Amino acid sequence: MEVEKGKTFKYLKDKREVSSGVIENLKYFNKMKKMIIGALTESKMTIPQLTKKINMPESEIVYYLMTLVKYGYVQTAEVDDMDEYFYYKIKNNG
Amino acid sequence: MQGRINHASFDTLIIGGGIAGCEAALNLANNEFKVLLVEKDLSIGGKMILLSKVFPTLDCSACITTPKVSEVSRHPGIMLFTGSEVKKIVRIAYNNFDATVVKNPRYVIAEDCTGCQLCEEACPVIVRDQYQMDLVGRKAAYIPFIIASPRIAAIDIENCTLCGACEKVCPTNCIDFTQEPEEYQVTVKTVVLATGFKLFDPLMMPRYGYGLYKNVITSMQMERQLAPTRPFNTILRPGDGKVPDKIAYVLCTGSRDATVENPICSQICCMYSIKQAQLLMGALPMADVTIYYINIRSFGKGFEEFYEQAKGMGVNFIKGKIGRISEKENGNMMLRYEDINKGIVKESEHDMVVLSVGVLANQDTATFFSNDELKLDPFKFVYQVDSFASPARTSIDGVFVAGTASGPMDIPDSILSAGAASSEAIGYLIQKQ
């Protein structure tokens, strides 16, 4: 069977089922991304401030926030007055 | 050199593309022998390519590793198989092995991929990045890491939603979901085992709280935090993102410990911990770094001076075995330990703990040979038949061992060992011609 180049994902989609865990993981990431970016749109925040705002475990916020930094949605700003926590803000691509 | 096998016979099969495997491959190929290098990961370079700096010189690890791995990738005498596994090796006759190698699909046409990362940008999926020791996420369509060799994208099919976003944006149309595992039968005259080591899993020691307390990390996680391509762009506690200012190192985590069935010394933990402590002093000048040890074993060239240098920089050394680690409400750690010099039990508070995990044998090595028994030593490393006169020889004639597959050792010793293995393999090949 000749599979059209550029559309081979359809070929595998017919042969293989995507697990519910993978779908759930994608939904959860999108939810976290929306919450973090939503909070940072209002103002720059430290991780403890984000935790208070969106009521999620700190370690999860660290993981997702740093992933958003890695992929260019968020950027690191200055450190707080106690030199303990960095502020994070929406990346200005302008 | 990547690509399809156009001839199915090689002088040497090298299993493992870490620094020892690469060194052995280059030595053999530069002497006109045809080499097949099989690496199960998506990039060669092993653990060394993921390190920040190396002890005792504090040279950049990537600066040493990348020229070597690039040379391996481009060498006309080396056929490189990444994302591949050796399934079986059968000795047919003297100086003649039949090997079955399975190349797992990357779902990317390697020859066409330019490493542009547009597929990675388009991919919506985030999973934990194993190359950053799970500290940050990566996409399901991804380049393993910035200095990966070969720099070719791969699709993590287990975590892929098959949305097709990567395929739509690929400028060279190199994403190919029709790929399937390919099996190759090759004939080789010698085999070099460079399968490396596994790091001790600290989950085996629940009293240290790894996995339970987010601010207890492994030395490899700290190594990534210190590397130029680090996950956080600075050093932070994974538990709450705080900049740590009182860091503890727990030496001999999983080494010299009969309770976890590893009574031997891992030979590298003391020195990499001292190295990390020095790097931390540079990265966080106000930080207080304490190393809890049983004995400091600074036996190599320049090691003692390196240890003294760390003391001079202000790293605290406490001779004490950590009994238990518990967490306070603010995320800080309480370390309960015996101060051996004073003979009393003490407690100390730190805001981050690094477990200096030890070296364990990679037990996959023993499973390759179907009609020969590869002897292992009592600690499951490859047994050296004559470790004094012929250190690379194994219990199977024509099979040699390189690097940490034969036991714990540091980078210079791994490279020396790979040199010995390639020399012995060359001698064997010439003798049998």
Side-chain angles (χ1 to χ4, degrees), chain B residues 254-266 297 359-360 378-379:
Chain B
S255 310
R256 302 178 65 196
D257 191 337
T259 64
V260 290
E261 293 171 10
N262 191 36
I264 58 170
C265 170
S266 291
R297 294 187 165 177
V359 169
L360 297 179
F379 307 107

Side-chain angles (χ1 to χ4, degrees), chain A residues 3-13 15-19 22-23 25-26 29-30 47-48 57-60 62-64 66-67 69-71 73 76 79 83-86 88, chain B residues 107 109 112 120 124-129 134-139 157-164 167-168 173 175-178 180 214 231-234 236 238-243:
Chain A
V3 181
E4 194 186 338
K5 231 180 171 187
K7 291 186 178 167
T8 60
F9 71 96
K10 288 181 177 171
Y11 160 85
L12 199 59
K13 217 168 184 170
K15 286 182 70 173
R16 182 190 173 100
E17 200 176 324
V18 178
S19 77
V22 169
I23 303 293
N25 178 54
L26 177 61
F29 168 66
N30 286 333
I47 288 168
E58 280 180 321
S59 59
E60 271 192 40
V62 172
Y63 168 70
Y64 287 107
M66 291 306 161
T67 303
V69 170
K70 177 180 172 179
Y71 287 107
Y73 296 97
T76 310
V79 71
D83 286 348
E84 282 186 340
Y85 294 95
F86 282 92
Y88 297 91
Chain B
Y107 302 102
I109 301 162
D112 296 343
E120 192 166 350
V125 178
I126 289 289
V127 289
R128 289 199 177 259
D129 186 350
D134 296 346
L135 292 169
V136 71
R138 64 152 171 85
K139 301 291 185 82
I157 207 71
E158 296 306 318
N159 290 297
C160 178
T161 57
L162 295 173
C163 68
E167 211 169 1
K168 286 185 190 113
N173 262 333
I175 310 281
D176 181 7
F177 284 103
T178 66
E180 299 210 335
K214 300 294 178 192
F232 302 157
N233 300 323
T234 182
L236 300 176
D240 60 2
K242 179 177 177 278
V243 179

